[in-house]
Amino acid sequence: MNRIFLAFSFRPENDRLVRDIDRVIRSHGLVPVTGEILGGQGLSQEVQARIRQCDALVAVFTRELQIQGQDTWLPTQWVSDEYASARARNQLAIAIVEDGVQTNGAFAQHERINLNRPAAPEAFIRLSETLGYWRAEAGRSLEIRLLPQEAATFASSENARCEYRLVPPNGGVPSEWTKARPARKPGGVFLIVQGVKTDQSIEVKLLEGNNPKWTSLESPQWVHVELASVQ
């Protein structure tokens, strides 16, 4: 997980709130992406593309238009559209909803973070917890060097299919086998493995057609460190 789309209303009274949310996102090592340079226009193809390219979306529903005769407000329409767009694609998304804001539509009942501006830090803590959970569940990307050299040479050939699966600790059920892309880099041939959690082991196999040619044991994510004597 790397990029978070931040959907919000471009109004001066929201500047500080948005800056604080931006800081929370960056504190997790994530990159906030917005539609700011587009001037907060409707859900254009460019905005849609930006949302699709992100790993998740945070939508900030603030007071935009008061409903006549009620102590209730409607949010900015494009924020609602951006949130609905992400939900419809099954992207990770969370709504931060200011007190008094009415949210409707197919996704109104999803988990949300309530925002009371005088007590905004509580909402920021909830957001931070959500981002931390997302990152832990998403895992990380690893590069695995293939050995011996004969197996690495085969992996980089046109006839090879490289697959891996992730194995949880304590006898948990392994993931499904997933195709991986071999990459020639200085130092050897590497597999790019996605979504690895810190406690998982990795198993690799190289196939020719449907026939396994090379297989590995379940390998933990320890780092090989070679020491040299100083005597």
Side-chain angles (χ1 to χ4, degrees):
M1 174 168 284
N2 182 45
R3 292 156 57 90
I4 304 291
F5 191 92
L6 180 55
F8 61 94
S9 172
F10 296 86
R11 295 171 67 96
E13 60 266 32
N14 294 328
D15 287 351
R16 180 175 178 179
L17 174 65
V18 172
R19 283 198 304 269
D20 289 341
I21 293 174
D22 182 282
R23 291 176 63 189
V24 173
I25 294 172
R26 292 181 187 276
S27 73
H28 284 266
L30 300 169
V31 179
V33 177
T34 72
E36 190 165 8
I37 64 171
L38 304 177
Q41 298 302 311
L43 196 59
S44 66
Q45 290 186 351
E46 184 172 352
V47 173
Q48 284 271 28
R50 288 189 186 184
I51 296 173
R52 283 195 301 269
Q53 291 163 5
C54 289
D55 301 293
L57 177 142
V58 174
V60 186
F61 289 84
T62 50
R63 298 177 180 183
E64 180 74 16
L65 178 65
Q66 187 171 9
I67 299 175
Q68 187 173 3
Q70 300 183 34
D71 192 24
T72 306
W73 283 259
L74 295 176
T76 303
Q77 185 60 48
W78 75 70
V79 174
S80 299
D81 291 344
E82 289 165 358
Y83 178 70
S85 170
R87 281 289 186 186
R89 280 193 296 272
N90 293 318
Q91 278 185 282
L92 292 171
I94 190 71
I96 301 175
V97 183
E98 185 176 8
D99 289 348
V101 172
Q102 183 180 97
T103 57
N104 298 312
F107 306 105
Q109 301 305 315
H110 280 70
E111 181 186 2
R112 55 192 274 174
I113 297 172
N114 294 323
L115 170 66
N116 180 342
R117 294 209 187 209
E122 177 61 30
F124 300 154
I125 291 171
R126 286 281 314 281
L127 174 61
S128 182
E129 291 170 344
T130 299
L131 295 173
Y133 175 77
W134 285 350
R135 289 208 68 184
E137 286 298 299
R140 57 181 178 150
S141 176
L142 292 180
E143 294 186 356
I144 301 173
R145 184 186 177 196
L146 297 179
L147 292 173
Q149 183 59 46
E150 185 179 354
T153 301
F154 171 72
S156 59
S157 70
E158 293 183 357
N159 298 326
R161 186 170 84 246
C162 307
E163 296 183 354
Y164 70 91
R165 67 178 180 179
L166 305 176
V167 184
N170 304 319
V173 178
S175 69
E176 297 293 326
W177 287 100
T178 303
K179 291 183 179 180
R181 179 179 63 85
R184 290 178 175 271
K185 297 188 176 186
V189 177
F190 296 81
L191 283 190
I192 314 300
V193 177
Q194 306 287 347
V196 186
K197 298 179 182 178
T198 56
D199 60 351
Q200 289 177 323
S201 297
I202 304 167
E203 189 176 354
V204 175
K205 64 180 178 181
L206 308 179
L207 303 96
E208 187 173 30
N210 293 321
N211 301 316
K213 303 293 288 185
W214 295 85
T215 61
S216 78
L217 300 175
E218 298 174 8
S219 302
Q221 299 175 55
W222 49 263
V223 178
H224 179 81
V225 178
E226 185 170 347
L227 305 179
S229 172
V230 295
Q231 296 180 352

